[in-house]
Amino acid sequence: MTRPEGLDAYLEGYTRILADVCATGRRLTRDELEALRGQGERAAEAGHGLRTLVRRHLAETRAFAPSLATAGVDLVLAAVEQAVDAFAEGHERAQKLAMRQEEADRREFIDDLLYGRSDLGRLAERAERYGLLFSRAHAVAVAQGARPVDDTHPATRHIETSMLGRFGDRRILLTTKDGRLVCVAPGDQDDVLAFFAKHAYAATDGGRVAVGRPHPGAGGVVHSYEEALNALELADRLDIREPVLRAADLLVYPVLTRDRQAMADLVRDTLGPLKAARGGPQPLLDTLTAYFDAGCTAAEAARRLSLSVRAFTYRLARIHKLTGADPADPAHRYTLQTAVIGARLLGWPDTEV
């Protein structure tokens, strides 16, 4: 009987074991079972599929069956069952080890990619394995929900399935990092990131998604990822409620805080007098925030704070008296609004600046 090339080594000793077991009526020994498991492992490592190998074992049994006729069908089947089960166990064990190693390699690559910890040339070689070409610019979207997610989370699986169904084998990397969902896509494919943002928002029960700007090269992925993380942090500090944030729309805030000491001085000198107000500075700071968010329309700002217009305008007058700056005066408005943004970014008044 002719076997397919390359399979001989994985059936070595099988018929001998079968003949001996059927002749004596014994079960397979521990050493025999371990040898079969080892053959299964080596076959898996060589890339041979389990179905093909099981068929080969059954075909070998069928070819050898005439010499086993006196053993009885039950004894032959029991021996075949033991042998094939041990072989399959070894094959599956090798597959699981390979999958764990693959996942470990993928996780290491993702860590190196998002934190820029590897040689760029080596990183580019590894990136091609996962569908990324650093000759193109890439953008990174990060989704954060109320609860952390990992690669086995249902939300991750759902989004992965949805994106694969929608975009096929486009060069997209979907992963998780520090409890967040992360999508890396070519920078000129905004439809991919928009699709990810929509589905991630739904899958995380109303979480928030931030999208970094496109940047070239491996370092560009790190840059875009950090922009997305910074956007999420800014949204928390500034209480920005939009579900999808784009770093390009928030560039003014890093500019404002680039000179932290200057911003701290502005907050302290402009808003510091509000500490003298009854009840502390927070209610008046909330008043200014609502006023500026409402486009400096007192009636809308009062509605947002559940105040009467009269009570709201009284607060504005109180701010004017304490700070010397009139929120309704265009000459003072920019300074006050910048100071309010700075206070939210620096955590004032809870944190001293």
Side-chain angles (χ1 to χ4, degrees):
M1 179 175 181
T2 303
R3 299 180 186 139
E5 185 179 355
L7 296 185
D8 287 351
Y10 312 116
L11 282 88
E12 185 177 350
Y14 170 67
T15 54
R16 177 188 54 75
I17 293 172
L18 204 61
D20 193 47
V21 169
C22 290
T24 61
R26 66 175 176 83
R27 294 179 62 82
L28 274 70
T29 66
R30 181 179 298 177
D31 288 343
E32 288 169 340
L33 291 172
E34 193 54 41
L36 288 163
R37 292 188 189 100
Q39 288 176 344
E41 288 185 2
R42 291 191 296 276
E45 291 166 357
H48 296 292
L50 182 57
R51 288 178 59 188
T52 299
L53 290 159
V54 169
R55 283 200 303 269
R56 292 304 308 142
H57 279 80
L58 296 179
E60 195 74 10
T61 304
R62 190 164 52 249
F64 197 63
S67 63
L68 303 176
T70 58
V73 174
D74 289 343
L75 188 57
V76 173
L77 291 179
V80 171
E81 181 181 10
Q82 264 195 294
V84 172
D85 184 67
F87 185 91
E89 181 184 348
H91 192 282
E92 291 170 0
R93 185 166 61 191
Q95 290 284 62
K96 289 177 181 177
L97 286 172
M99 288 175 63
R100 283 198 290 268
Q101 184 59 51
E102 173 68 22
E103 180 55 32
D105 291 345
R106 184 176 186 271
R107 179 54 54 191
E108 181 183 11
F109 166 73
I110 289 166
D111 289 343
D112 289 345
L113 174 65
L114 297 183
Y115 290 143
R117 294 190 305 215
S118 180
D119 172 75
L120 293 183
R122 173 65 181 141
L123 195 61
E125 291 177 8
R126 294 160 65 198
E128 291 188 25
R129 177 180 177 186
Y130 299 102
L132 301 181
L133 293 176
F134 290 152
S135 57
R136 306 177 65 176
H138 287 82
V140 181
V142 179
Q144 180 172 282
R147 290 177 295 276
V149 299
D150 58 22
D151 289 341
T152 63
H153 194 279
T156 308
R157 298 303 184 198
H158 169 73
I159 294 171
E160 189 173 38
T161 301
S162 298
M163 295 194 71
L164 185 63
R166 175 67 176 81
F167 300 108
D169 59 353
R170 283 205 210 176
R171 295 182 178 275
I172 303 166
L173 177 63
L174 183 67
T175 186
T176 60
K177 182 67 179 170
D178 298 331
R180 306 181 184 96
L181 283 161
V182 179
C183 179
V184 183
D188 58 355
Q189 296 183 11
D190 194 61
D191 57 330
V192 173
L193 297 174
F195 185 90
F196 169 81
K198 176 182 177 181
H199 284 261
Y201 175 75
T204 55
D205 296 324
R208 183 178 282 143
V209 184
V211 183
R213 294 178 297 160
H215 297 284
V221 174
V222 180
H223 193 176
S224 185
Y225 175 64
E226 290 176 345
E227 285 183 341
L229 292 182
N230 290 336
L232 290 172
E233 184 181 357
L234 279 172
D236 287 337
R237 289 187 182 185
L238 300 177
D239 195 28
I240 300 174
R241 300 186 180 277
E242 282 81 0
V244 180
L245 309 163
R246 292 190 174 271
D249 298 333
L250 302 174
L251 288 176
V252 66
Y253 299 111
V255 171
L256 291 176
T257 56
R258 189 156 294 163
D259 189 338
R260 191 183 189 283
Q261 187 56 54
M263 179 58 75
D265 291 343
L266 176 66
V267 171
R268 190 167 48 248
D269 293 346
T270 304
L271 302 178
L274 298 182
K275 289 185 174 183
R278 182 182 301 174
Q282 193 61 56
L284 296 182
L285 189 61
D286 292 341
T287 298
L288 285 171
T289 299
Y291 184 62
F292 294 132
D293 287 350
C296 299
T297 303
E300 173 58 21
R303 185 190 66 78
R304 295 185 182 189
L305 293 178
S306 300
L307 295 173
S308 67
V309 175
R310 182 176 180 180
F312 187 84
T313 53
Y314 171 79
R315 286 191 180 187
L316 290 180
R318 185 69 178 148
I319 291 168
H320 185 190
K321 182 175 182 179
L322 289 170
T323 65
D326 182 3
D329 185 341
H332 297 163
R333 186 180 301 159
Y334 178 75
T335 299
L336 276 172
Q337 187 168 9
T338 304
V340 168
I341 293 172
R344 294 163 74 181
L345 289 172
L346 300 178
W348 187 88
D350 294 335
T351 301
E352 198 60 44
V353 296

